Amino acid sequence: MTDAISEAPRALEREAEKNDIRTRWLLATPAIVIIFLFATAPLFVMVVYSFLAPGDYGNVKWEFSLDGWTNVLVQRDIFDDTLMWADAHLSIFWRSLSLSVITTFLTLVFGVPTAWFIATQPPGRREVWLFLITVPFWTNLLVRTIAIQELIRAEGVINNTLLFVGLINAPIQMMFTDFAIAFGMTYVYLPLMVLPVYAAVEKLDFRLVEAAHDLYAGRWVAFRRVILPLIKPGIIAGSILVFIPSLGAYVTPRVLGGGKNLMFGNLIELQFGAGRNWPLGAALSLMLMAAVMVSLIYYVRVTSREQSDG
Amino acid sequence: MKHALTAVSALALMAGGAMAKELNIYNWGNYTNPELIEKFEAETGIDVTITDYDSNDTALAKVKAGGHGFDIVVPSHSYIPIWISEGLLLESRPDQMENFGNVDPVWVDVAWDPGRHYTVPWQWGTTGVVVNTKYYDGDINTSAIFMDPPEELKGKINVVPEMGDVMALAIMYYGGTPCTGDREILKKVRDGLVEAKKSWLGMDYGNLEKFAKEDLWAGVNWNGSTFRMRLQNENVAYGYPKEGYVVWMDSVAVLADARNVEEAKMFQNFIMEPENAALISSFARYANGILGSDPYMPDDMKTAPEIVIPAELKDKGVFNQACPPDVQQLYTRIWTDLQK
Amino acid sequence: MAEPARPTRGYSVRTLPGFAIVALFTFVALYAPIAILVVFSFNAGTSLAIWEGFSLRWYVQAAQNEQVLDAGLRSLYLAGFSASIATVAATMAALATTRTRRFPGRTMIYALINQPLMVPEIVTAVALLIVFAAVKVWTGHTSMIYLIAAHTAFCVPFAYLPIRARLETMDNTLEVAARDLYAPPWKVFTRVTLPLMWPGIIAGLMLAFVISMDDVVITEFVKSAGQDTLPTYMLGQLRRVVTPEINAISTVILVVGAILVSLFFALTMRRR
């Protein structure tokens, strides 16, 4: 086309783009309003509270204080009064972080093949399998956790089966161990991985995979170089849904791990409960939120750059 | 279902010019005998709704925030002074009620509500130690069971994660009084707990099955819950630490912003009736504070060693209190250090 | 005969070695605890772990316990309402934020939608308690609307992410073709875009429903008198004693769910 006739369409195009952006904002409005009103705005209360002094019996006193924030990282020793790093907070955070990483990894290991399996079923059956993944979660979290514990007890189903088959001679101690926590967390967060990955695999164009095979790519090369990039958005969505909430999780680790060690979620809950230090609880959680938010925004920027590049 | 029915009957009654009477009780979960409520509803025609909470702190935070719609709450004794000083309770004067004469005099002039101007006894119990005597046959009336465990029990101990109770037991083990701010004792307490924790398996609630099936052999526990364990496994025994154990009582109070004050007062009076108090106990398996309720109690409760405190250990029981804020902060720090 | 045009493979590209085995193992692991849960709902004893013979006593007891029945029904309709609203909002938001170049505010929308994921539940719970209590005192209105609002808000990201993942790599050739054939926008959406998105929407809806069914902490702090859900009812029992009654209720919910969804699938199949 020549320049002379492309001028007018370009103006039209710009107009269309403006309209497009307006439509997009309108579409996003209900979600934004709901979340802003019922999740984000109330958090401003927490921001305010984090700068106040703890009330005598929970809640806050209306006096300005920075203790909530400084105590996140530094605390006075209760016995010799020296200033020191709040190593308890740091080691608890580290524990939660490693647990989240392990949980995300395990849900990937078990979730991706499961999602793949479901998505490659004949169309009519997929929804049935998908439903089978979510059914166990219609039951109550605590009953489910108690049932998991029953599986792994010294005289539980697993130990008895292994003893019967003759793989072990004495029951393995699984209750109240890290294994129990990892098992339980993977169980609880599995659907959060399977469903997004399923949504991505389900619309995978298998002609591309065929093409890779036709070019004599081995199955694993094809998986790594062709399939994985195509289902990446699903895997990333799943990882976010698993990783972030498991940072704040505490019911499952507490019940299955025997509760000897605090998770970051417990630490915050303790401040709002028996610990009666709401400002510290508010500061701890805002800190966590800020860290997660920054890494998420960084991730969005990087991936959207990739998309517009590619 | 029930709501539809209530709505219909409310409409019917309104048409007749009267409002349906109702009462909203806010209580610990699985703590209210449905038979008790049915009886109250049948006798008074009041429609009762029960809502659960899981901790004193949640209940306090919610009621303090307002707009909850509850009439009655059942806090633990250590929290009652807070409820009163925050102005959250109505001075309903149970001491002037018809059935007040049934309250055991021991429970009338209590520190948290002298003369019972606000609250009526619901249930009381103790926090002590639990031991499976099959695995350990030494003295079980001591906190050493979990603070300095005998070799046989190591690695099979569970301590309920109840900060106030565990701190009080540990402090008394080292000769202090609960809520002490004495650094010397607190240092011993922290170091002692940190050292002892190495021989614990867990810090968890709800271990009935694990004790009954002998996955756990010892620990800190409540008396009523230990009672249930013994019914499943006769080797389980309850110990009252001679260094001092914790006594607690939950009491029924009317909220200052209750909408159904008259109905709430009727309920307070109702549960001071011995027969009704026995209904409360037979469900949750703790003692009540009402004289004359014994004849109505289930037989297995009348002689249960978890309920009847041995005479020589009676004076070792201590009511733990709500500690002053600065002391409470110290305890939270020790608790965090313990579980870091 | 000529050689086939393509090299023959002894396998389908749709199966990856080991994946089916891992998947089946996963299903077994998922259902093992559920089987235990269902078995113990028929326990004659009071325990969740000590089998004392078969009995229906917990079903009878649950059927007579108004509080637990109420809580079960409330959980179901709260999750149904909240998940549906959240899924509609999330679908719209996903359409708005995918398949486009970056536009001003896109990152912000994305961050805002995912915000509920980033805060530990207890914090949102306390914050909502304070705000909602003020509203409740001011208006004197204490219906389920507060719980529905709170649940909808934290369900949105769980519905949004699967739908977004679906849309992100869904190309728009079909939609462009439809538009080129002068199909009106609404028709393009209902006849082309929506059917393509459908699996993502179903996944999102199921996730949101499950998340709402399981929520304890926020519900505990937002509920008013007489608004216990199954999880908060359970939470209250944790420090006392947990009986198989809750297993009976859970089993009933499982069966009801299975029937509902089978009906739903049967209907949609017929339409297709």
Side-chain angles (χ1 to χ4, degrees):
Chain A
M1 277 183 218
T2 65
D3 278 35
I5 48 170
S6 68
E7 266 309 305
R10 206 170 278 165
L12 267 178
E13 214 169 79
R14 232 174 285 134
E15 186 59 27
E17 192 171 308
K18 222 186 255 171
N19 277 335
D20 179 59
I21 292 176
R22 196 179 310 137
T23 321
R24 284 174 185 279
W25 269 98
L26 272 176
L27 274 172
T29 304
I32 292 175
V33 169
I34 290 171
I35 289 180
F36 183 79
L37 281 183
F38 305 123
T40 313
L43 287 181
F44 288 114
V45 175
M46 284 294 131
V47 176
V48 174
Y49 276 22
S50 70
F51 289 106
L52 297 174
D56 288 352
Y57 299 105
N59 226 312
V60 287
K61 254 190 268 188
W62 286 90
E63 292 162 16
F64 178 79
S65 159
L66 283 175
D67 286 356
W69 284 96
T70 50
N71 284 348
V72 170
L73 288 178
V74 229
Q75 281 185 323
R76 277 188 192 285
D77 188 274
I78 39 179
F79 299 116
D80 55 23
D81 224 29
T82 49
L83 268 183
M84 51 177 234
W85 288 105
D87 62 329
H89 297 168
L90 299 178
S91 63
I92 291 168
F93 181 71
W94 180 246
R95 179 177 307 126
S96 282
L97 191 67
S98 10
L99 182 64
S100 293
V101 172
I102 293 170
T103 307
T104 312
F105 174 75
L106 287 175
T107 49
L108 275 170
V109 168
F110 292 101
V112 173
T114 308
W116 180 275
F117 173 80
I118 298 174
T120 50
Q121 293 295 309
R125 263 187 247 158
R126 286 174 202 163
E127 283 87 353
V128 178
W129 282 104
L130 206 58
F131 173 63
L132 284 176
I133 281 283
T134 44
V135 168
F137 298 86
W138 286 44
T139 61
N140 182 276
L141 173 67
L142 287 166
V143 202
R144 220 157 51 221
T145 320
I146 292 170
I148 292 177
Q149 204 153 44
E150 179 56 20
L151 268 184
I152 62 178
R153 274 193 32 252
E155 290 166 35
V157 178
I158 293 183
N159 266 324
N160 278 345
T161 313
L162 291 178
L163 282 170
F164 181 76
V165 178
L167 278 172
I168 52 171
N169 305 320
I172 312 168
Q173 169 78 34
M174 288 181 282
M175 192 182 87
F176 289 174
T177 59
D178 291 345
F179 166 80
I181 301 182
F183 181 83
M185 291 286 283
T186 309
Y187 190 106
V188 169
Y189 288 98
L190 195 71
L192 302 187
M193 182 63 82
V194 172
L195 291 168
V197 175
Y198 161 79
V201 177
E202 206 263 355
K203 57 131 219 23
L204 183 68
D205 188 347
F206 280 97
R207 282 169 307 181
L208 292 173
V209 189
E210 295 271 1
H213 283 283
D214 292 348
L215 296 168
Y216 300 102
R219 302 180 108 183
W220 284 110
V221 176
F223 180 73
R224 238 184 38 238
R225 304 290 289 276
V226 181
I227 299 173
L228 218 48
L230 285 170
I231 62 173
K232 205 175 83 181
I235 289 184
I236 286 170
S239 305
I240 292 174
L241 282 179
V242 173
F243 183 77
I244 301 177
S246 58
L247 264 182
Y250 65 87
V251 175
T252 308
R254 197 184 78 187
V255 175
L256 290 173
K260 266 168 72 179
N261 298 317
L262 290 175
M263 293 289 152
F264 206 66
N266 298 93
L267 180 67
I268 291 172
E269 195 224 6
L270 177 67
Q271 310 307 327
F272 284 106
R276 298 187 194 136
N277 195 342
W278 289 26
L280 176 60
L284 282 170
S285 47
L286 290 172
M287 208 83 117
L288 176 70
M289 185 174 91
V292 172
M293 196 75 126
V294 167
S295 41
L296 197 66
I297 287 177
Y298 174 76
Y299 149 75
V300 171
R301 300 240 152 173
V302 169
T303 51
S304 53
R305 195 170 306 143
E306 257 172 34
Q307 269 170 19
S308 44
D309 287 352
Chain B
M1 260 180 341
K2 183 203 148 207
H3 285 281
L5 283 177
T6 328
V8 171
S9 53
L11 276 178
L13 281 167
M14 261 192 280
M19 287 287 283
K21 290 194 286 180
E22 47 177 70
L23 178 66
N24 275 299
I25 298 176
Y26 193 31
N27 198 353
W28 298 84
N30 210 12
Y31 209 31
T32 323
N33 190 344
E35 285 173 46
L36 176 84
I37 298 305
E38 273 161 33
K39 193 169 172 225
F40 180 72
E41 285 181 326
E43 277 180 23
T44 60
I46 295 169
D47 183 27
V48 178
T49 307
I50 295 170
T51 313
D52 295 345
Y53 57 84
D54 74 308
S55 77
N56 277 306
D57 299 286
T58 310
L60 182 63
K62 272 190 75 105
V63 171
K64 206 168 158 181
H68 41 76
F70 302 118
D71 302 311
I72 274 184
V73 73
V74 192
S76 302
H77 73 275
S78 58
Y79 279 73
I80 285 175
I82 306 175
W83 286 81
I84 294 176
S85 69
E86 299 272 345
L88 299 172
L89 299 187
L90 181 85
E91 200 167 357
S92 61
R93 295 312 294 257
D95 56 321
Q96 293 171 1
M97 289 177 185
E98 193 189 331
N99 289 335
F100 190 72
N102 297 325
V103 177
D104 187 332
V106 182
W107 298 111
V108 172
D109 257 321
V110 286
W112 61 88
D113 182 12
R116 293 279 181 186
H117 290 193
Y118 295 88
T119 62
V120 168
W122 174 259
Q123 293 188 90
W124 68 274
T126 56
T127 312
V129 294
V130 52
V131 177
N132 187 319
T133 48
K134 189 165 119 193
Y135 299 99
Y136 178 70
D137 54 6
D139 178 19
I140 63 165
N141 287 322
T142 168
S143 288
I145 293 291
F146 74 99
M147 288 303 294
D148 189 10
E151 217 41 59
E152 301 94 303
L153 296 175
K154 280 189 177 165
K156 293 287 184 183
I157 293 171
N158 180 75
V159 174
V160 287
E162 201 71 30
M163 181 166 112
D165 287 358
V166 176
M167 284 298 291
L169 285 171
I171 289 168
M172 290 189 285
Y173 181 68
Y174 289 108
T177 45
C179 286
T180 179
D182 184 335
R183 304 289 159 122
E184 231 169 88
I185 288 177
L186 287 181
K187 196 161 169 44
K188 276 192 212 155
V189 166
R190 187 196 59 183
D191 298 345
L193 281 171
V194 167
E195 187 54 37
K197 190 188 148 198
K198 292 175 188 158
S199 11
W200 302 351
L201 182 58
M203 291 175 74
D204 196 9
Y205 297 113
N207 292 298
L208 184 76
E209 277 84 15
K210 282 167 232 147
F211 274 97
K213 287 206 149 180
E214 306 187 351
D215 285 319
L216 291 170
W217 297 349
V220 175
N221 205 5
W222 294 295
N223 63 327
S225 136
T226 312
F227 180 29
R228 287 170 181 273
M229 289 170 185
R230 180 172 57 85
L231 294 180
Q232 304 265 3
N233 182 334
E234 56 183 14
N235 294 322
V236 175
Y238 185 71
Y240 299 86
K242 54 179 172 292
E243 299 86 5
Y245 55 89
V246 176
V247 187
W248 49 263
M249 172 176 258
D250 296 337
S251 298
V252 177
V254 183
L255 291 170
D257 51 356
R259 291 180 194 165
N260 307 297
V261 174
E262 280 320 304
E263 290 79 0
K265 285 182 178 171
M266 278 165 82
F267 187 75
Q268 279 191 318
N269 190 48
F270 177 77
I271 59 166
M272 289 190 284
E273 188 83 45
E275 205 179 330
N276 302 335
L279 276 178
I280 300 176
S281 294
S282 64
F283 182 76
R285 299 282 177 173
Y286 288 96
N288 55 67
I290 304 297
L291 287 178
S293 66
D294 277 0
Y296 305 103
M297 297 276 254
D299 285 334
D300 57 358
M301 283 187 75
K302 289 178 190 164
T303 52
E306 294 85 4
I307 311 258
V308 186
I309 304 175
E312 70 275 16
L313 291 166
K314 258 200 172 127
D315 59 334
K316 306 293 185 199
V318 172
F319 281 98
N320 61 342
Q321 319 140 28
C323 301
D326 52 324
V327 174
Q328 186 72 13
Q329 300 281 334
L330 285 180
Y331 290 10
T332 308
R333 293 280 303 280
I334 293 176
W335 194 248
T336 313
D337 269 352
L338 178 65
Q339 294 184 283
K340 77 180 174 194
Chain C
M1 287 297 272
E3 285 279 322
R6 293 181 188 176
T8 39
R9 287 181 292 269
Y11 57 89
S12 154
V13 295
R14 286 169 172 262
T15 53
L16 287 166
F19 270 34
I21 293 168
V22 176
L24 291 177
F25 172 81
T26 306
F27 276 102
V28 171
L30 272 183
Y31 276 87
I34 301 304
I36 290 184
L37 186 159
V38 172
V39 166
F40 278 98
S41 72
F42 296 105
N43 193 3
T46 55
S47 161
L48 271 67
I50 304 165
W51 181 254
E52 289 174 30
F54 179 88
S55 129
L56 289 174
R57 67 182 274 204
W58 299 110
Y59 288 87
V60 175
Q61 183 168 327
Q64 288 167 348
N65 187 341
E66 206 176 67
Q67 203 189 353
V68 80
L69 284 181
D70 251 18
L73 282 176
R74 193 172 294 110
S75 277
L76 281 174
Y77 88 74
L78 177 60
F81 262 108
S82 313
S84 314
I85 304 172
T87 307
V88 172
T91 308
M92 292 167 69
L95 282 167
T97 51
T98 48
R99 303 193 295 169
T100 171
R101 272 178 288 163
R102 263 172 63 198
F103 61 89
R106 197 178 90 139
T107 310
M108 204 202 85
I109 296 179
Y110 187 72
L112 192 66
I113 287 176
N114 286 301
Q115 182 270 321
L117 289 178
M118 280 169 242
V119 195
E121 257 199 288
I122 178 76
V123 180
T124 315
V126 174
L128 279 176
L129 166 70
I130 290 157
V131 172
F132 281 171
V135 179
K136 286 177 192 171
V137 172
W138 183 49
T139 59
H141 183 81
T142 54
S143 69
M144 289 288 289
I145 194 90
Y146 301 96
L147 279 176
I148 293 178
H151 277 234
T152 306
F154 69 70
C155 281
V156 168
F158 289 95
Y160 170 81
L161 282 171
I163 302 174
R164 182 189 139 108
R166 171 87 189 175
L167 271 173
E168 214 153 47
T169 35
M170 196 169 99
D171 62 49
N172 46 10
T173 26
L174 278 175
E175 287 156 279
V176 171
R179 230 171 281 140
D180 288 350
L181 295 168
Y182 300 102
W186 180 245
K187 272 241 163 89
V188 176
F189 179 73
T190 52
R191 293 286 174 79
V192 184
T193 319
L194 202 57
L196 284 172
M197 289 172 73
W198 207 231
I201 296 177
I202 293 268
L205 180 69
M206 282 185 171
L207 260 195
F209 185 84
V210 163
I211 290 293
S212 167
M213 280 287 283
D214 247 357
D215 179 74
V216 195
V217 185
I218 290 179
T219 314
E220 179 73 9
F221 277 80
V222 170
K223 74 182 184 193
S224 306
Q227 295 178 350
D228 266 320
T229 61
L230 222 41
T232 64
Y233 177 77
M234 264 305 282
L235 181 75
Q237 298 204 328
L238 193 57
R239 286 187 204 202
R240 308 271 159 222
V241 70
V242 182
T243 61
E245 187 184 60
I246 204 84
N247 295 33
I249 284 286
S250 300
T251 307
V252 172
I253 289 184
L254 282 178
V255 173
V256 169
I259 294 172
L260 277 181
V261 176
S262 323
L263 280 178
F264 172 76
F265 284 133
L267 283 176
T268 48
M269 297 281 231
R270 192 166 304 159
R271 219 172 39 206
R272 266 182 220 154

